[in-house]
């Protein structure tokens, strides 16, 4: 199968297929005319690559995992000896989620404080409560 045919079968661009090959995730051979040709299982491999990328794995990790994956490309099953790799990636994602959740909590508190300050101002722009207290921005500053 030529690269254009593989792109059409998988919905992945030719450029991205070349990138997968460059990263060592996908293999091709060259015809006498120099065209890339792929085995029939390339469709399954590209499906697995897409699934692993959507799970947040980096291409380096995918290169390590691909030879040990079996089953449906949308739900690949790793061999028993490498099951710790997806578990480690899941733990990494959980830590990222926890960090992002904490960052969101800080922003939520800032937004709530700003909304409270805006409601307590007697006049002016709620986004700039100092205007309500001083009649402008900082006292002594000229506006331009």
């Amino acid at each position: 199968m030529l690269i254009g045919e593989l792109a059409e079968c998988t919905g992945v661009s030719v450029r991205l297929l070349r990138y997968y090959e460059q990263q060592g995730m996908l293999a091709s051979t060259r015809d006498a005319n120099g065209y890339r040709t792929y085995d029939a299982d390339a469709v399954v491999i590209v499906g697995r690559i897409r699934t692993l990328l959507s799970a947040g794995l980096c291409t380096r990790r995918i290169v390590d995992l691909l030879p040990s994956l079996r089953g449906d490309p949308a739900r690949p099953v790793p061999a028993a000896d490498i099951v710790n790799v997806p578990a480690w990636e899941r733990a990494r994602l959980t830590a990222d989620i926890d960090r992002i959740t904490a960052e969101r909590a800080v922003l939520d508190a800032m937004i709530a404080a700003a909304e409270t300050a805006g409601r307590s101002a007697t006049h002016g722009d709620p986004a700039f409560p100092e205007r309500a207290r001083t009649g402008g921005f900082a006292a002594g500053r000229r506006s331009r």
Side-chain angles (χ1 to χ4, degrees), residues 1-3 21 28-38:
M1 165 180 333
L2 296 175
I3 195 166
E21 190 173 344
S28 70
T29 57
R30 297 284 182 151
D31 281 345
N33 59 9
Y35 291 171
R36 288 178 169 89
T37 59
Y38 297 90

Side-chain angles (χ1 to χ4, degrees), residues 8-10 21 38 40 52 55 61 69 97 102 105-106 121 132-133 138:
E8 188 174 323
C9 288
T10 60
E21 190 173 344
Y38 297 90
L52 295 171
R61 183 76 65 191
L69 295 177
I97 290 167
V106 170
R133 290 189 301 273

Side-chain angles (χ1 to χ4, degrees), residues 50-115:
R50 301 300 297 161
T51 297
L52 295 171
L53 286 170
S54 71
L57 275 70
C58 66
T59 57
R60 185 182 70 246
R61 183 76 65 191
I62 292 171
V63 168
D64 295 339
L65 280 174
L66 276 175
S68 301
L69 295 177
R70 304 290 176 261
D72 180 8
R75 296 185 58 107
V77 177
D81 62 330
I82 63 156
V83 76
N84 63 329
V85 174
W88 181 86
E89 288 292 338
R90 185 180 188 287
R92 182 188 58 78
L93 286 174
T94 300
D96 286 350
I97 290 167
D98 292 345
R99 179 186 49 77
I100 292 168
T101 300
E103 290 170 357
R104 184 180 61 195
V106 170
L107 291 173
D108 288 345
M110 291 171 65
I111 291 166
E115 288 172 348

Side-chain angles (χ1 to χ4, degrees), residues 17-26:
L17 292 172
R18 287 185 187 123
Y19 174 75
Y20 292 168
E21 190 173 344
Q22 177 188 15
Q23 296 301 306
M25 296 184 286
L26 187 63

